[in-house]
């Protein structure tokens, strides 16, 4: 494993950790914990009705119940911001990893 831990990889990991910490602190400072908890309680309570008996298998009736919840309810901005940020960070990390992998293959 050590052979793959280049200075760039370590720097990327540190930057990602700092970004995650800042994101978590902002999440709490913005009061997102309560908003998110209410939303999650609502959607999982809604999914629990009908034929959704195991939300960890997100297809079929569970997917249908979740989709119907969004007809009258919107994803809180707090959660949406986190999802977007994590998505961007993941994309950046994957691109960096792919470039490094190509360089190592040479």
């Amino acid at each position: 494993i050590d052979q793959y831990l280049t200075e760039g990889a370590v720097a990327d990991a540190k930057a990602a950790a700092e970004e995650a910490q800042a994101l978590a602190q902002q999440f709490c400072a913005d009061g997102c914990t309560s908003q998110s908890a209410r939303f999650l309680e609502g959607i999982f309570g809604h999914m629990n009705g009908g034929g959704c008996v195991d939300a960890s298998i997100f297809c079929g009736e569970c997917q249908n119940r979740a989709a119907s919840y969004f007809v009258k309810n919107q994803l809180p901005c707090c959660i949406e911001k986190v999802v977007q940020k994590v998505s961007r960070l993941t994309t950046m990390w994957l691109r960096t990893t792919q470039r490094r992998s190509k360089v190592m293959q040479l």
Side-chain angles (χ1 to χ4, degrees), residues 37-95:
R38 282 191 299 277
F39 172 80
L40 294 171
E41 180 180 23
I43 193 167
F44 283 113
H46 183 78
M47 287 172 63
N48 193 38
C52 179
V53 294
D54 184 358
S56 69
I57 303 169
F58 191 74
C59 57
E61 190 57 28
C62 293
Q63 183 180 10
N64 295 338
R65 297 286 296 173
S68 71
Y69 184 79
F70 280 103
V71 170
K72 295 182 181 177
N73 300 278
Q74 189 173 6
L75 186 67
C77 290
C78 291
I79 295 175
E80 188 171 342
K81 286 178 186 177
V82 168
V83 169
Q84 289 173 356
K85 185 70 165 186
V86 169
S87 176
R88 282 193 301 270
L89 288 172
T90 302
T91 300
M92 288 171 44
W93 180 80
L94 287 172
R95 286 181 185 155

Side-chain angles (χ1 to χ4, degrees), residues 3 7 14-15 19 31 36 46 51 53-56 77 81 96-97 102:
Q3 69 187 12
E7 288 182 32
K14 286 180 181 178
E19 191 74 32
S36 299
H46 183 78
V53 294
D54 184 358
S56 69
C77 290
K81 286 178 186 177
T96 301
T97 303
K102 287 179 184 177

